[in-house]
Amino acid sequence: MITKFSYGTPVETFAVVKDFPSAGHEQLRHFSRKKGTVQYFTCMLGEEDIVYGLGETMRGVNKRGGRYISFNYDDPHHKDDMPSMYGAHNFLIVDGEEPFGAFFDTPSKVVFDIDSKGSGVLSVACETQDLRLYIIEGETPYGIVKQFLGIIGRSFLPPLWAFGYGQSRWGYKTERDISRVAAKHEEAGIPLDYICMDIDYMDRYIDFTVNKRRFPNMTGFSAKLKGKGLHLVPIVDAGIKIEPGNPVYSEGVEKEYFCKNHEGTFFKAEVWPGMTHFPDFFQEKVRRWFGDQYKFYTDSGLEGFWNDMNEPAIFSTEYRAKDTKPDVERGDVDQPERHIADFKDFFHRLDDGREKSNYEVHNLYGALMTRASGEGLGRLLDRRYLLFSRSSYIGAHRYGGIWTGDNASTWEMLRQNVYHMPSLNMCGFLYSGADTGGFGGNCDRELLLRWLAVSVFTPLMRNHTAIFTRNQECYRFRKVEDFRTVVSLRYRLLPYLYSEFMKAALRQDMLIRPLAFDYPGDEKARHIHDQLMVGESVMIAPVLEKGVKGRVVYLPEPMTEVRWSSEGFTCIEVGAGERTVMAPLHQVVFYIRKGKLVPVGKQVSNTSELDLMDVELLGTGTEYEQYADDGYTKDCGLNRCVLRRKA
Ligand code: GLC
């Protein structure tokens, strides 16, 4: 059951697509509410309660014991206790005696204190008088999540090629650099579907331009790569460079599509291209205009994009030099608030006529950029597009996916990648993943192999790293055949992974879940967060520690243990309970639930060669409901068939 409460005059966030009448305030039973400068909601947690949700936040799957700030922020120094990331996903689930979910639907800053002091208090401080609160009651956390996914609308549906392996690096500058990446993968026999183009493809980092010297013929180049089954995926940043003569800039100024400051002139912020203006994505006409700009790329045959710097990230402004320290006296002690004065200094005109400072509606900015581009690409292309964004808010999942930003090449960030996946799924973001191998820092062979073995199971599987780090493409490492083996598993599993993604998206369900969601009542499973369920048949238990050759795996029921190596799949039946499993770097071990099947396809070098229906079946089940389609048709219904194991 879902109950909606409205306070003040909420800003339209577009997160919830279903209409509900608001209930009387006296009906709010799960929280007590205090109204002051902030709206303050509190409740007491039971001793054993677990708190799930909060999407892109650090720490772990159980959010208990931490403090989390929904205030989208570009902090490249990822730590496992940092309070804010790039997204605001204000949905949590309390798994206690009477489980319930709560969605705090406001684009303003929200601080969640989930029993950080150990006193059992869960508090939520919303820095606004205007919000909607949805309370969801249900029997189980999973049931509550399904109800929530049912009201926020269907996930974005990427094309099949977006489920292939992608290679990226900030630092590929020219057509030659990119051709080399393609050739090296081919030479090493490592499957690949797309290569990302970071800011250097542009003319001086200006959106909707291409550096002609580096890419003399983008249309020809993209066609040539497509001929080999490869796609190009350019980055697009939020800010438009201030440069008279650039048509996008001039039109934005002339039509007043950019955000203004307190003086009524266009707000100026320094990002990659130097001083920029920020499009006011809160206005429908601006979103339409910005989305239409992607024609520049689609005309060259490009169908995949990553939107960046859209929290928005700001290096400096007219008024604030680059290295301003946090203003501790004003209370700006939390990292994300370093730029508080900047966000208070530019304004959005909402479609309902109100004007709000960015600070007040901050968490929607990136999501509205995603919406603008997603809707634009929907108009421009007759097929599905790939889009993933750095910043997000619930609702943006209907237009694109997300990646979890500038992580680092550390084992802790690999573990965070695992913890993020179910939490993101609870908030609607099915198409997501991390920078495989880590963005900052130098990745080594062992970490990359282990990370790839996790990314095999995440919908977005992209190796990306920063310009100042060591080269991180698989072919840069010793014994490249081990990398070929691990990446190849992704392609063998694609008939299953694609089918499970599409079924989850079309049925508004989760793809990646904590064990507890599938084994309610199993006390042990309830506390295991480094193993995950992927789709209806698979459980993964990845190795997440340096220097070890295996790990202890908990099996809530008897399962098929599948070992993937260069020799193929080997399956053995194993009993329930704990088990020590050896997993050398060149092998990947995963599990198939009792009575379930996994269809595996033929080995291919990219998805253009893949026949989703040409499969063999692994596991002990008798039937599998497979979803398959052409991989690009837009409005796919549920194209299913039932695969039966031959007697
Ligand atoms: C940001 C992005 C990162 C990108 C870099 C350069 O840090 O998060 O992925 O490589 O900008 O564009």
Side-chain angles (χ1 to χ4, degrees), residues 74 76 86 168-171 198-200 235 237 272 306 308-309 311 315 390 403 405-406 435 439 462 464-467:
D74 170 26
Y86 313 88
S168 184
R169 176 185 176 81
W170 174 15
D198 208 320
I199 46 176
D200 294 295
I235 196 168
D237 288 339
W272 297 123
W306 48 312
D308 193 22
M309 308 306 270
E311 294 70 30
F315 301 161
R390 196 169 70 177
W403 95 101
D406 298 348
D435 284 353
F439 179 75
R462 178 180 73 139
H464 180 54
T465 186
I467 193 161

Side-chain angles (χ1 to χ4, degrees), residues 222-504:
S222 101
K224 194 170 127 199
L225 288 180
K226 262 195 198 165
K228 299 181 175 182
L230 289 176
H231 289 79
L232 285 170
V233 178
I235 196 168
V236 180
D237 288 339
I240 300 294
K241 185 177 170 66
I242 299 174
E243 182 163 270
N246 166 11
V248 181
Y249 165 79
S250 305
E251 193 182 348
V253 167
E254 192 200 314
K255 299 201 168 140
E256 310 219 315
Y257 285 166
F258 297 127
C259 298
K260 292 191 173 167
N261 62 19
H262 64 279
E263 288 170 342
T265 58
F266 294 120
F267 178 73
K268 293 181 187 162
E270 186 201 351
V271 203
W272 297 123
M275 280 298 177
T276 67
H277 290 328
F278 291 142
D280 186 4
F281 295 120
F282 284 74
Q283 300 177 47
E284 215 272 311
K285 59 179 188 227
V286 178
R287 286 199 297 274
R288 198 172 175 95
W289 166 75
F290 192 84
D292 286 345
Q293 303 307 321
Y294 284 69
K295 185 167 188 304
F296 173 80
Y297 303 111
T298 55
D299 279 352
S300 292
L302 306 181
E303 297 164 30
F305 304 88
W306 48 312
N307 283 350
D308 193 22
M309 308 306 270
N310 49 4
E311 294 70 30
I314 300 177
F315 301 161
S316 73
T317 68
E318 276 181 282
Y319 308 105
R320 183 182 56 76
K322 240 177 202 156
D323 52 353
T324 311
K325 293 276 181 305
D327 187 347
V328 180
E329 271 181 18
R330 275 185 18 198
D332 304 346
V333 283
D334 288 319
Q335 270 278 7
E337 307 219 356
R338 218 168 60 198
H339 296 126
I340 198 163
D342 303 342
F343 299 132
K344 284 185 174 166
D345 194 32
F346 68 98
F347 297 85
H348 300 293
R349 198 154 302 148
L350 310 190
D351 283 325
D352 66 12
R354 281 185 285 175
E355 193 177 75
K356 294 271 181 193
S357 71
N358 177 268
Y359 181 78
E360 293 169 281
V361 292
H362 182 74
N363 290 337
L364 261 186
Y365 190 76
L368 287 170
M369 180 188 182
T370 304
R371 182 172 174 182
S373 9
E375 287 177 339
L377 292 165
R379 292 190 297 274
L380 289 164
L381 294 170
D382 60 358
R383 47 180 59 207
R384 283 181 251 157
Y385 58 84
L386 166 60
L387 175 63
F388 52 97
S389 164
R390 196 169 70 177
S391 187
S392 60
Y393 185 85
I394 292 173
H397 70 285
R398 302 197 298 274
Y399 305 95
I402 54 175
W403 95 101
T404 51
D406 298 348
N407 62 0
S409 302
T410 64
W411 291 86
E412 184 49 41
M413 286 307 123
L414 168 59
R415 287 189 280 275
Q416 290 297 331
N417 184 187
V418 171
Y419 305 147
H420 278 144
M421 296 312 296
S423 309
L424 288 170
N425 272 247
M426 291 174 208
C427 295
F429 291 92
L430 301 188
Y431 189 81
S432 50
D435 284 353
T436 302
F439 179 75
N442 297 319
C443 189
D444 64 27
R445 180 175 190 277
E446 181 187 4
L447 180 60
L448 185 56
L449 279 165
R450 293 297 192 204
W451 208 317
L452 285 165
V454 168
S455 301
V456 158
F457 297 94
T458 68
L460 169 66
M461 183 190 187
R462 178 180 73 139
N463 180 336
H464 180 54
T465 186
I467 193 161
F468 40 82
T469 66
R470 80 173 271 187
N471 294 313
Q472 195 173 285
E473 298 85 0
C474 294
Y475 55 79
R476 305 279 187 173
F477 295 89
R478 173 172 69 73
K479 283 180 76 187
V480 75
E481 61 275 20
D482 292 352
F483 293 86
R484 182 192 312 137
T485 303
V486 177
V487 178
S488 295
L489 174 61
R490 166 68 160 217
Y491 284 79
R492 296 293 305 271
L493 285 177
L494 269 181
Y496 173 75
L497 293 171
Y498 182 68
S499 168
E500 290 302 309
F501 180 95
M502 294 302 273
K503 286 194 293 185

